Amino acid sequence: NAGVTQTPKFQVLKTGQSMTLQCAQDMNHEYMSWYRQDPGMGLRLIHYSVGAGITDQGEVPNGYNVSRSTTEDFPLRLLSAAPSQTSVYFCASSYSPTGNNSPLHFGNGTRLTVT
Amino acid sequence: SQKIEQNSEALNIQEGKTATLTCNYTNYSPAYLQWYRQDPGRGPVFLLLIRENEKEKRKERLKVTFDTTLKQSLFHITASQPADSATYLCALHPYSGSARQLTFGSGTQLTVLP
């Protein structure tokens, strides 16, 4: 089992550029989410989805868009990158549709630098 | 506002000793708490989950306690090994919350010295 796969592993963008971070899971999990991790800040939830066609905002959604057309894939789009979006991004999934009482399975992250 | 604090950013201990990591929270009524391990350049990996009505949970050399009166969870690694060196994260989930309300602490970096 591959688990949660994120691509790319590293990315450098210029301010104003757009890009999509890819996330795919092969565990048939209903719940998927995106976090960003910054030094001293812990993991902060950006967007999440409880099933195909359903998405919602987390703690820090501004500047990011998501969609969930299939159970397996949950891409994160940056429409106009800003230096404040320099971070490490993690995708996570879990069996429970609501995420309650169910551990998260994380990908290995995408390290994004915006210059 | 709700806050989660993990005792220190870094903790160094000698191999064979017991490592104790602390997770304190304020303005929070968690239904359950999770602990994760994170290695450099990797995503967090789930270790243990403990519910509000459970005082203690064990898994091999790992032990977690949950004291809702003190608003604190302790994470113990007994007979520590250099391979236990990593960053450990706690995460709390409130009663009747949805997935968006799983909140992570910033982690404690543990180094086990040989």
Side-chain angles (χ1 to χ4, degrees), chain B residues 24-84:
Chain B
N24 295 306
Y25 57 92
T26 56
N27 298 324
Y28 225 114
S29 296
Y32 62 87
L33 187 149
Q34 301 181 16
W35 282 90
Y36 290 79
R37 168 183 173 142
Q38 186 173 22
D39 292 287
R42 308 294 293 256
V45 174
F46 171 77
L47 296 174
L48 283 167
L49 180 152
I50 185 167
R51 295 177 178 80
E52 178 262 349
N53 60 354
E54 297 176 319
K55 298 302 181 187
E56 182 178 299
K57 185 77 74 78
R58 291 176 184 262
K59 179 183 176 182
E60 298 173 349
R61 294 184 295 111
L62 308 180
K63 184 178 83 171
V64 173
T65 62
F66 194 6
D67 189 327
T68 55
T69 301
L70 292 178
K71 296 186 182 296
Q72 181 182 80
S73 174
L74 298 179
F75 178 80
H76 305 274
I77 307 175
T78 59
S80 60
Q81 305 165 0
D84 295 326

CSV table of all heavy atoms in Angstrom, one decimal, chain B residues 24-84:
chain,number,residue,atom,x,y,z
B,24,ASN,N,0.1,20.3,27.6
B,24,ASN,CA,-0.9,21.1,28.4
B,24,ASN,C,-1.8,21.8,27.5
B,24,ASN,O,-1.5,22.3,26.5
B,24,ASN,CB,-0.1,22.1,29.3
B,24,ASN,CG,0.7,21.4,30.3
B,24,ASN,OD1,0.3,20.5,31.1
B,24,ASN,ND2,2.0,21.7,30.4
B,25,TYR,N,-3.1,22.0,28.0
B,25,TYR,CA,-4.1,22.7,27.2
B,25,TYR,C,-4.9,23.6,28.1
B,25,TYR,O,-5.0,23.4,29.3
B,25,TYR,CB,-5.0,21.8,26.4
B,25,TYR,CG,-5.7,20.8,27.2
B,25,TYR,CD1,-7.0,21.0,27.7
B,25,TYR,CD2,-5.2,19.5,27.5
B,25,TYR,CE1,-7.7,20.1,28.5
B,25,TYR,CE2,-5.8,18.6,28.3
B,25,TYR,CZ,-7.1,18.9,28.8
B,25,TYR,OH,-7.8,18.0,29.5
B,26,THR,N,-5.4,24.7,27.5
B,26,THR,CA,-6.2,25.7,28.2
B,26,THR,C,-7.4,26.0,27.4
B,26,THR,O,-7.4,26.0,26.1
B,26,THR,CB,-5.4,27.0,28.5
B,26,THR,OG1,-4.9,27.5,27.3
B,26,THR,CG2,-4.3,26.7,29.5
B,27,ASN,N,-8.5,26.3,28.0
B,27,ASN,CA,-9.8,26.7,27.4
B,27,ASN,C,-10.2,25.7,26.4
B,27,ASN,O,-10.6,26.0,25.3
B,27,ASN,CB,-9.6,28.1,26.7
B,27,ASN,CG,-9.3,29.2,27.6
B,27,ASN,OD1,-9.8,29.2,28.7
B,27,ASN,ND2,-8.5,30.1,27.2
B,28,TYR,N,-10.1,24.4,26.8
B,28,TYR,CA,-10.4,23.3,25.9
B,28,TYR,C,-11.1,22.2,26.7
B,28,TYR,O,-10.7,22.0,27.9
B,28,TYR,CB,-9.1,22.8,25.4
B,28,TYR,CG,-9.0,22.5,23.9
B,28,TYR,CD1,-8.2,23.2,23.1
B,28,TYR,CD2,-9.7,21.4,23.4
B,28,TYR,CE1,-8.1,22.9,21.8
B,28,TYR,CE2,-9.7,21.2,22.1
B,28,TYR,CZ,-8.8,21.9,21.2
B,28,TYR,OH,-8.8,21.6,19.9
B,29,SER,N,-12.0,21.5,26.2
B,29,SER,CA,-12.6,20.3,26.8
B,29,SER,C,-12.5,19.2,25.8
B,29,SER,O,-13.4,18.8,25.0
B,29,SER,CB,-14.1,20.5,27.1
B,29,SER,OG,-14.2,21.5,28.1
B,30,PRO,N,-11.3,18.5,25.7
B,30,PRO,CA,-11.1,17.5,24.7
B,30,PRO,C,-11.8,16.2,24.9
B,30,PRO,O,-11.9,15.8,26.1
B,30,PRO,CB,-9.6,17.3,24.7
B,30,PRO,CG,-9.1,17.7,26.1
B,30,PRO,CD,-10.1,18.8,26.5
B,31,ALA,N,-12.4,15.7,23.9
B,31,ALA,CA,-13.0,14.3,24.0
B,31,ALA,C,-11.9,13.3,23.9
B,31,ALA,O,-12.0,12.2,24.5
B,31,ALA,CB,-14.0,14.2,22.8
B,32,TYR,N,-10.9,13.5,23.1
B,32,TYR,CA,-9.8,12.6,23.1
B,32,TYR,C,-8.5,13.3,22.6
B,32,TYR,O,-8.6,14.4,22.1
B,32,TYR,CB,-10.1,11.4,22.2
B,32,TYR,CG,-10.4,11.6,20.8
B,32,TYR,CD1,-9.3,11.7,19.8
B,32,TYR,CD2,-11.7,11.8,20.3
B,32,TYR,CE1,-9.6,12.0,18.5
B,32,TYR,CE2,-11.9,12.1,19.0
B,32,TYR,CZ,-10.9,12.1,18.1
B,32,TYR,OH,-11.1,12.4,16.8
B,33,LEU,N,-7.4,12.6,22.8
B,33,LEU,CA,-6.1,13.2,22.5
B,33,LEU,C,-5.3,12.1,21.8
B,33,LEU,O,-5.3,11.0,22.1
B,33,LEU,CB,-5.4,13.6,23.9
B,33,LEU,CG,-4.1,14.3,23.8
B,33,LEU,CD1,-4.1,15.2,25.1
B,33,LEU,CD2,-3.0,13.4,23.9
B,34,GLN,N,-4.5,12.6,20.8
B,34,GLN,CA,-3.7,11.7,20.0
B,34,GLN,C,-2.2,12.2,20.1
B,34,GLN,O,-1.9,13.3,20.3
B,34,GLN,CB,-4.1,11.8,18.5
B,34,GLN,CG,-5.5,11.4,18.3
B,34,GLN,CD,-5.9,11.4,16.8
B,34,GLN,OE1,-5.0,11.4,16.0
B,34,GLN,NE2,-7.2,11.4,16.5
B,35,TRP,N,-1.3,11.2,20.0
B,35,TRP,CA,0.1,11.5,19.9
B,35,TRP,C,0.7,10.9,18.6
B,35,TRP,O,0.3,9.8,18.2
B,35,TRP,CB,0.9,10.9,21.1
B,35,TRP,CG,0.7,11.6,22.4
B,35,TRP,CD1,-0.2,11.4,23.3
B,35,TRP,CD2,1.6,12.7,22.8
B,35,TRP,NE1,-0.1,12.3,24.4
B,35,TRP,CE2,1.1,13.1,24.1
B,35,TRP,CE3,2.7,13.3,22.4
B,35,TRP,CZ2,1.6,14.1,24.8
B,35,TRP,CZ3,3.3,14.3,23.1
B,35,TRP,CH2,2.8,14.7,24.3
B,36,TYR,N,1.5,11.8,18.0
B,36,TYR,CA,2.2,11.4,16.7
B,36,TYR,C,3.7,11.6,16.8
B,36,TYR,O,4.1,12.4,17.6
B,36,TYR,CB,1.7,12.4,15.6
B,36,TYR,CG,0.2,12.1,15.2
B,36,TYR,CD1,-0.8,12.7,15.9
B,36,TYR,CD2,-0.1,11.4,14.0
B,36,TYR,CE1,-2.1,12.5,15.5
B,36,TYR,CE2,-1.4,11.2,13.6
B,36,TYR,CZ,-2.4,11.8,14.4
B,36,TYR,OH,-3.7,11.6,14.0
B,37,ARG,N,4.4,10.8,16.0
B,37,ARG,CA,5.8,11.0,15.9
B,37,ARG,C,6.1,11.5,14.5
B,37,ARG,O,5.5,11.1,13.5
B,37,ARG,CB,6.5,9.6,16.0
B,37,ARG,CG,7.9,9.6,15.6
B,37,ARG,CD,8.6,8.2,15.7
B,37,ARG,NE,9.9,8.3,15.2
B,37,ARG,CZ,10.9,7.6,15.7
B,37,ARG,NH1,10.8,6.8,16.8
B,37,ARG,NH2,12.1,7.7,15.2
B,38,GLN,N,7.1,12.5,14.4
B,38,GLN,CA,7.5,13.0,13.1
B,38,GLN,C,9.0,13.0,13.0
B,38,GLN,O,9.7,13.6,13.9
B,38,GLN,CB,6.9,14.5,13.0
B,38,GLN,CG,7.2,15.0,11.6
B,38,GLN,CD,6.5,16.4,11.4
B,38,GLN,OE1,6.2,17.1,12.3
B,38,GLN,NE2,6.3,16.7,10.1
B,39,ASP,N,9.5,12.4,12.0
B,39,ASP,CA,10.9,12.4,11.7
B,39,ASP,C,11.2,13.5,10.6
B,39,ASP,O,10.3,13.9,9.9
B,39,ASP,CB,11.3,11.0,11.1
B,39,ASP,CG,11.2,9.9,12.2
B,39,ASP,OD1,12.1,9.9,13.1
B,39,ASP,OD2,10.3,9.1,12.2
B,40,PRO,N,12.5,13.9,10.6
B,40,PRO,CA,12.8,15.0,9.7
B,40,PRO,C,12.5,14.7,8.2
B,40,PRO,O,12.8,13.6,7.7
B,40,PRO,CB,14.3,15.2,9.9
B,40,PRO,CG,14.6,14.7,11.3
B,40,PRO,CD,13.6,13.6,11.5
B,41,GLY,N,11.8,15.6,7.6
B,41,GLY,CA,11.5,15.4,6.2
B,41,GLY,C,10.3,14.4,5.9
B,41,GLY,O,10.1,14.1,4.8
B,42,ARG,N,9.6,14.0,7.0
B,42,ARG,CA,8.5,13.1,6.8
B,42,ARG,C,7.2,13.6,7.5
B,42,ARG,O,7.3,14.6,8.2
B,42,ARG,CB,8.9,11.7,7.5
B,42,ARG,CG,10.2,11.1,7.1
B,42,ARG,CD,10.2,10.7,5.6
B,42,ARG,NE,9.3,9.6,5.4
B,42,ARG,CZ,9.7,8.4,5.2
B,42,ARG,NH1,11.0,8.1,5.2
B,42,ARG,NH2,8.8,7.4,4.9
B,43,GLY,N,6.1,13.0,7.1
B,43,GLY,CA,4.9,13.4,7.7
B,43,GLY,C,4.7,12.7,9.1
B,43,GLY,O,5.4,11.7,9.4
B,44,PRO,N,3.9,13.3,9.9
B,44,PRO,CA,3.6,12.7,11.3
B,44,PRO,C,3.0,11.2,11.1
B,44,PRO,O,2.3,11.0,10.2
B,44,PRO,CB,2.6,13.6,11.9
B,44,PRO,CG,2.8,14.9,11.2
B,44,PRO,CD,3.2,14.5,9.8
B,45,VAL,N,3.4,10.4,12.1
B,45,VAL,CA,2.9,9.0,12.1
B,45,VAL,C,2.1,8.8,13.4
B,45,VAL,O,2.7,9.1,14.5
B,45,VAL,CB,4.0,8.0,12.0
B,45,VAL,CG1,3.5,6.6,12.2
B,45,VAL,CG2,4.7,8.2,10.6
B,46,PHE,N,0.9,8.3,13.4
B,46,PHE,CA,0.1,8.1,14.5
B,46,PHE,C,0.7,7.1,15.5
B,46,PHE,O,1.2,6.0,15.0
B,46,PHE,CB,-1.3,7.7,14.1
B,46,PHE,CG,-2.2,7.2,15.3
B,46,PHE,CD1,-2.8,8.1,16.1
B,46,PHE,CD2,-2.4,5.9,15.5
B,46,PHE,CE1,-3.6,7.7,17.1
B,46,PHE,CE2,-3.2,5.4,16.5
B,46,PHE,CZ,-3.8,6.4,17.4
B,47,LEU,N,0.7,7.4,16.8
B,47,LEU,CA,1.2,6.4,17.8
B,47,LEU,C,0.1,5.9,18.7
B,47,LEU,O,-0.1,4.7,18.8
B,47,LEU,CB,2.3,7.1,18.7
B,47,LEU,CG,3.5,7.6,17.9
B,47,LEU,CD1,4.4,8.3,18.9
B,47,LEU,CD2,4.3,6.4,17.4
B,48,LEU,N,-0.6,6.8,19.4
B,48,LEU,CA,-1.6,6.4,20.4
B,48,LEU,C,-2.8,7.4,20.4
B,48,LEU,O,-2.6,8.6,20.2
B,48,LEU,CB,-1.0,6.4,21.8
B,48,LEU,CG,-0.1,5.2,22.2
B,48,LEU,CD1,0.7,5.4,23.4
B,48,LEU,CD2,-0.9,3.9,22.3
B,49,LEU,N,-3.9,6.9,20.8
B,49,LEU,CA,-5.1,7.7,21.1
B,49,LEU,C,-5.6,7.4,22.4
B,49,LEU,O,-5.7,6.2,22.8
B,49,LEU,CB,-6.2,7.4,20.0
B,49,LEU,CG,-7.5,8.2,20.1
B,49,LEU,CD1,-8.1,8.3,18.7
B,49,LEU,CD2,-8.5,7.5,21.0
B,50,ILE,N,-6.0,8.4,23.2
B,50,ILE,CA,-6.5,8.2,24.5
B,50,ILE,C,-7.8,9.0,24.7
B,50,ILE,O,-7.8,10.2,24.3
B,50,ILE,CB,-5.5,8.5,25.7
B,50,ILE,CG1,-6.1,8.1,27.0
B,50,ILE,CG2,-5.1,9.9,25.6
B,50,ILE,CD1,-5.0,8.1,28.1
B,51,ARG,N,-8.9,8.4,25.2
B,51,ARG,CA,-10.1,9.1,25.3
B,51,ARG,C,-10.2,9.8,26.7
B,51,ARG,O,-9.5,9.5,27.6
B,51,ARG,CB,-11.3,8.1,25.2
B,51,ARG,CG,-11.4,7.5,23.8
B,51,ARG,CD,-12.5,6.5,23.6
B,51,ARG,NE,-12.6,6.0,22.3
B,51,ARG,CZ,-11.7,5.1,21.8
B,51,ARG,NH1,-10.8,4.6,22.5
B,51,ARG,NH2,-11.9,4.7,20.5
B,52,GLU,N,-11.2,10.7,26.8
B,52,GLU,CA,-11.3,11.5,28.0
B,52,GLU,C,-11.6,10.7,29.3
B,52,GLU,O,-11.2,11.1,30.3
B,52,GLU,CB,-12.4,12.5,27.8
B,52,GLU,CG,-12.8,13.4,28.9
B,52,GLU,CD,-13.9,12.9,29.7
B,52,GLU,OE1,-14.6,12.0,29.3
B,52,GLU,OE2,-14.2,13.5,30.8
B,53,ASN,N,-12.3,9.6,29.1
B,53,ASN,CA,-12.6,8.7,30.2
B,53,ASN,C,-11.6,7.6,30.5
B,53,ASN,O,-11.8,6.8,31.4
B,53,ASN,CB,-14.0,8.1,30.0
B,53,ASN,CG,-14.0,7.2,28.8
B,53,ASN,OD1,-13.1,7.2,28.0
B,53,ASN,ND2,-15.1,6.5,28.6
B,54,GLU,N,-10.5,7.7,29.8
B,54,GLU,CA,-9.3,6.7,30.0
B,54,GLU,C,-8.2,7.5,30.7
B,54,GLU,O,-7.8,8.6,30.2
B,54,GLU,CB,-8.8,6.2,28.7
B,54,GLU,CG,-9.9,5.3,27.9
B,54,GLU,CD,-9.4,4.9,26.6
B,54,GLU,OE1,-8.7,5.7,25.9
B,54,GLU,OE2,-9.7,3.7,26.2
B,55,LYS,N,-7.7,6.9,31.7
B,55,LYS,CA,-6.6,7.6,32.5
B,55,LYS,C,-5.2,7.3,31.9
B,55,LYS,O,-4.3,8.1,32.0
B,55,LYS,CB,-6.6,7.2,33.9
B,55,LYS,CG,-7.9,7.6,34.6
B,55,LYS,CD,-8.2,9.1,34.6
B,55,LYS,CE,-9.4,9.5,35.3
B,55,LYS,NZ,-9.7,10.9,35.1
B,56,GLU,N,-5.1,6.1,31.3
B,56,GLU,CA,-3.8,5.6,30.8
B,56,GLU,C,-4.0,4.7,29.7
B,56,GLU,O,-5.0,3.9,29.6
B,56,GLU,CB,-3.1,4.9,32.0
B,56,GLU,CG,-1.7,4.4,31.7
B,56,GLU,CD,-1.1,3.7,32.9
B,56,GLU,OE1,-1.0,4.4,34.0
B,56,GLU,OE2,-0.8,2.5,32.8
B,57,LYS,N,-3.0,4.7,28.7
B,57,LYS,CA,-3.0,3.8,27.6
B,57,LYS,C,-1.6,3.4,27.3
B,57,LYS,O,-0.7,4.3,27.4
B,57,LYS,CB,-3.6,4.5,26.4
B,57,LYS,CG,-3.8,3.6,25.1
B,57,LYS,CD,-5.0,2.7,25.2
B,57,LYS,CE,-6.3,3.3,25.1
B,57,LYS,NZ,-6.7,3.6,23.7
B,58,ARG,N,-1.4,2.1,27.0
B,58,ARG,CA,0.0,1.6,26.8
B,58,ARG,C,0.1,0.9,25.5
B,58,ARG,O,-0.9,0.3,25.0
B,58,ARG,CB,0.4,0.6,27.9
B,58,ARG,CG,0.6,1.2,29.3
B,58,ARG,CD,0.9,0.1,30.3
B,58,ARG,NE,1.0,0.7,31.7
B,58,ARG,CZ,2.1,1.0,32.3
B,58,ARG,NH1,3.3,0.8,31.6
B,58,ARG,NH2,2.1,1.5,33.5
B,59,LYS,N,1.3,1.0,24.9
B,59,LYS,CA,1.6,0.3,23.7
B,59,LYS,C,3.1,0.0,23.7
B,59,LYS,O,3.9,1.0,23.5
B,59,LYS,CB,1.2,1.1,22.4
B,59,LYS,CG,1.5,0.4,21.1
B,59,LYS,CD,1.1,1.3,19.9
B,59,LYS,CE,1.5,0.7,18.6
B,59,LYS,NZ,1.2,1.6,17.5
B,60,GLU,N,3.5,-1.2,23.9
B,60,GLU,CA,4.9,-1.6,24.0
B,60,GLU,C,5.6,-0.7,25.0
B,60,GLU,O,5.3,-0.7,26.1
B,60,GLU,CB,5.5,-1.6,22.6
B,60,GLU,CG,4.8,-2.5,21.6
B,60,GLU,CD,5.3,-2.4,20.2
B,60,GLU,OE1,6.0,-1.5,19.9
B,60,GLU,OE2,4.9,-3.3,19.4
B,61,ARG,N,6.6,0.1,24.5
B,61,ARG,CA,7.4,0.9,25.5
B,61,ARG,C,6.7,2.3,25.7
B,61,ARG,O,7.3,3.2,26.3
B,61,ARG,CB,8.8,1.1,24.9
B,61,ARG,CG,9.6,-0.2,24.9
B,61,ARG,CD,11.1,0.1,24.5
B,61,ARG,NE,11.2,0.5,23.1
B,61,ARG,CZ,11.6,1.8,22.8
B,61,ARG,NH1,11.9,2.7,23.7
B,61,ARG,NH2,11.6,2.1,21.5
B,62,LEU,N,5.6,2.5,25.1
B,62,LEU,CA,5.0,3.8,25.1
B,62,LEU,C,3.8,3.8,26.2
B,62,LEU,O,3.1,2.8,26.3
B,62,LEU,CB,4.4,4.2,23.8
B,62,LEU,CG,5.3,4.2,22.6
B,62,LEU,CD1,4.6,4.6,21.3
B,62,LEU,CD2,6.6,5.0,22.8
B,63,LYS,N,3.7,4.9,26.9
B,63,LYS,CA,2.5,5.1,27.8
B,63,LYS,C,2.1,6.5,27.7
B,63,LYS,O,2.8,7.4,27.7
B,63,LYS,CB,3.0,4.7,29.2
B,63,LYS,CG,1.8,4.8,30.2
B,63,LYS,CD,2.2,4.4,31.6
B,63,LYS,CE,2.8,5.6,32.4
B,63,LYS,NZ,3.0,5.3,33.8
B,64,VAL,N,0.7,6.6,27.7
B,64,VAL,CA,0.1,8.0,27.7
B,64,VAL,C,-0.8,8.1,28.8
B,64,VAL,O,-1.6,7.1,29.1
B,64,VAL,CB,-0.6,8.2,26.3
B,64,VAL,CG1,-1.4,9.5,26.4
B,64,VAL,CG2,0.3,8.3,25.2
B,65,THR,N,-0.8,9.2,29.5
B,65,THR,CA,-1.8,9.5,30.6
B,65,THR,C,-2.6,10.7,30.2
B,65,THR,O,-2.1,11.6,29.4
B,65,THR,CB,-1.1,9.7,31.9
B,65,THR,OG1,-0.3,10.8,31.9
B,65,THR,CG2,-0.4,8.4,32.3
B,66,PHE,N,-3.8,10.8,30.7
B,66,PHE,CA,-4.7,11.9,30.4
B,66,PHE,C,-5.4,12.4,31.7
B,66,PHE,O,-6.2,11.7,32.2
B,66,PHE,CB,-5.7,11.5,29.3
B,66,PHE,CG,-6.5,12.5,28.6
B,66,PHE,CD1,-6.2,13.9,28.8
B,66,PHE,CD2,-7.5,12.2,27.7
B,66,PHE,CE1,-6.9,14.8,28.1
B,66,PHE,CE2,-8.2,13.1,27.0
B,66,PHE,CZ,-7.9,14.5,27.2
B,67,ASP,N,-5.0,13.6,32.1
B,67,ASP,CA,-5.6,14.1,33.4
B,67,ASP,C,-6.4,15.4,33.0
B,67,ASP,O,-5.8,16.4,32.8
B,67,ASP,CB,-4.5,14.4,34.4
B,67,ASP,CG,-5.0,14.8,35.7
B,67,ASP,OD1,-6.1,15.4,35.8
B,67,ASP,OD2,-4.3,14.5,36.7
B,68,THR,N,-7.7,15.2,33.0
B,68,THR,CA,-8.6,16.3,32.6
B,68,THR,C,-8.7,17.4,33.7
B,68,THR,O,-9.1,18.5,33.4
B,68,THR,CB,-10.0,15.8,32.2
B,68,THR,OG1,-10.5,15.1,33.3
B,68,THR,CG2,-9.9,15.0,31.0
B,69,THR,N,-8.3,17.0,34.9
B,69,THR,CA,-8.3,18.0,36.0
B,69,THR,C,-7.1,18.9,35.9
B,69,THR,O,-7.3,20.2,36.0
B,69,THR,CB,-8.3,17.3,37.4
B,69,THR,OG1,-9.4,16.5,37.5
B,69,THR,CG2,-8.3,18.3,38.5
B,70,LEU,N,-6.0,18.4,35.6
B,70,LEU,CA,-4.8,19.2,35.4
B,70,LEU,C,-4.7,19.7,34.0
B,70,LEU,O,-3.9,20.6,33.7
B,70,LEU,CB,-3.5,18.3,35.7
B,70,LEU,CG,-3.3,17.8,37.1
B,70,LEU,CD1,-2.1,16.9,37.1
B,70,LEU,CD2,-3.1,19.0,38.0
B,71,LYS,N,-5.6,19.2,33.1
B,71,LYS,CA,-5.6,19.6,31.7
B,71,LYS,C,-4.2,19.3,31.1
B,71,LYS,O,-3.5,20.2,30.5
B,71,LYS,CB,-5.9,21.1,31.5
B,71,LYS,CG,-7.3,21.5,32.0
B,71,LYS,CD,-7.7,22.9,31.7
B,71,LYS,CE,-9.1,23.3,32.2
B,71,LYS,NZ,-10.1,22.5,31.5
B,72,GLN,N,-3.8,18.1,31.2
B,72,GLN,CA,-2.5,17.7,30.8
B,72,GLN,C,-2.5,16.2,30.4
B,72,GLN,O,-3.2,15.4,30.9
B,72,GLN,CB,-1.6,17.8,32.0
B,72,GLN,CG,-0.1,17.5,31.8
B,72,GLN,CD,0.7,17.7,33.0
B,72,GLN,OE1,0.8,16.8,33.9
B,72,GLN,NE2,1.4,18.8,33.1
B,73,SER,N,-1.6,16.0,29.4
B,73,SER,CA,-1.3,14.6,29.0
B,73,SER,C,0.2,14.4,29.1
B,73,SER,O,1.0,15.3,28.7
B,73,SER,CB,-1.8,14.3,27.6
B,73,SER,OG,-1.4,13.0,27.1
B,74,LEU,N,0.6,13.3,29.6
B,74,LEU,CA,2.0,12.9,29.6
B,74,LEU,C,2.3,11.7,28.7
B,74,LEU,O,1.5,10.8,28.7
B,74,LEU,CB,2.5,12.6,31.1
B,74,LEU,CG,2.3,13.6,32.1
B,74,LEU,CD1,2.8,13.1,33.5
B,74,LEU,CD2,3.1,14.9,31.7
B,75,PHE,N,3.4,11.8,28.0
B,75,PHE,CA,3.8,10.8,27.0
B,75,PHE,C,5.1,10.2,27.5
B,75,PHE,O,6.1,11.0,27.6
B,75,PHE,CB,3.8,11.4,25.6
B,75,PHE,CG,4.3,10.4,24.5
B,75,PHE,CD1,3.4,9.5,24.0
B,75,PHE,CD2,5.6,10.4,24.1
B,75,PHE,CE1,3.8,8.6,23.0
B,75,PHE,CE2,6.0,9.5,23.1
B,75,PHE,CZ,5.1,8.6,22.5
B,76,HIS,N,5.2,8.9,27.8
B,76,HIS,CA,6.4,8.3,28.3
B,76,HIS,C,6.9,7.3,27.3
B,76,HIS,O,6.2,6.5,26.7
B,76,HIS,CB,6.1,7.6,29.6
B,76,HIS,CG,5.5,8.4,30.7
B,76,HIS,ND1,6.2,9.2,31.5
B,76,HIS,CD2,4.1,8.6,31.0
B,76,HIS,CE1,5.3,9.8,32.4
B,76,HIS,NE2,4.1,9.5,32.1
B,77,ILE,N,8.2,7.3,27.1
B,77,ILE,CA,8.9,6.3,26.4
B,77,ILE,C,9.9,5.7,27.4
B,77,ILE,O,10.9,6.3,27.8
B,77,ILE,CB,9.7,6.8,25.2
B,77,ILE,CG1,8.8,7.7,24.3
B,77,ILE,CG2,10.3,5.7,24.4
B,77,ILE,CD1,9.5,8.3,23.1
B,78,THR,N,9.7,4.4,27.7
B,78,THR,CA,10.6,3.7,28.6
B,78,THR,C,11.7,3.1,27.9
B,78,THR,O,11.6,2.8,26.7
B,78,THR,CB,9.9,2.7,29.4
B,78,THR,OG1,9.3,1.7,28.5
B,78,THR,CG2,8.8,3.3,30.3
B,79,ALA,N,12.9,2.8,28.6
B,79,ALA,CA,14.1,2.2,28.0
B,79,ALA,C,14.3,2.9,26.6
B,79,ALA,O,14.5,2.2,25.6
B,79,ALA,CB,13.8,0.7,27.8
B,80,SER,N,14.5,4.2,26.6
B,80,SER,CA,14.6,4.9,25.3
B,80,SER,C,15.9,4.5,24.6
B,80,SER,O,16.9,4.1,25.1
B,80,SER,CB,14.7,6.4,25.6
B,80,SER,OG,15.7,6.7,26.5
B,81,GLN,N,15.7,4.6,23.2
B,81,GLN,CA,16.8,4.2,22.3
B,81,GLN,C,17.1,5.4,21.4
B,81,GLN,O,16.2,6.2,21.1
B,81,GLN,CB,16.4,3.0,21.5
B,81,GLN,CG,15.9,1.8,22.3
B,81,GLN,CD,15.1,0.8,21.5
B,81,GLN,OE1,14.9,1.0,20.3
B,81,GLN,NE2,14.7,-0.3,22.2
B,82,PRO,N,18.3,5.5,20.8
B,82,PRO,CA,18.6,6.5,19.8
B,82,PRO,C,17.5,6.6,18.7
B,82,PRO,O,17.2,7.6,18.2
B,82,PRO,CB,20.0,6.2,19.3
B,82,PRO,CG,20.6,5.5,20.5
B,82,PRO,CD,19.5,4.7,21.2
B,83,ALA,N,17.0,5.4,18.3
B,83,ALA,CA,16.0,5.4,17.3
B,83,ALA,C,14.7,6.1,17.7
B,83,ALA,O,13.8,6.3,16.8
B,83,ALA,CB,15.7,3.9,16.9
B,84,ASP,N,14.5,6.4,18.9
B,84,ASP,CA,13.3,7.1,19.4
B,84,ASP,C,13.5,8.6,19.1
B,84,ASP,O,12.5,9.4,19.4
B,84,ASP,CB,13.0,6.9,20.9
B,84,ASP,CG,12.7,5.4,21.2
B,84,ASP,OD1,12.0,4.8,20.4
B,84,ASP,OD2,13.1,4.9,22.3
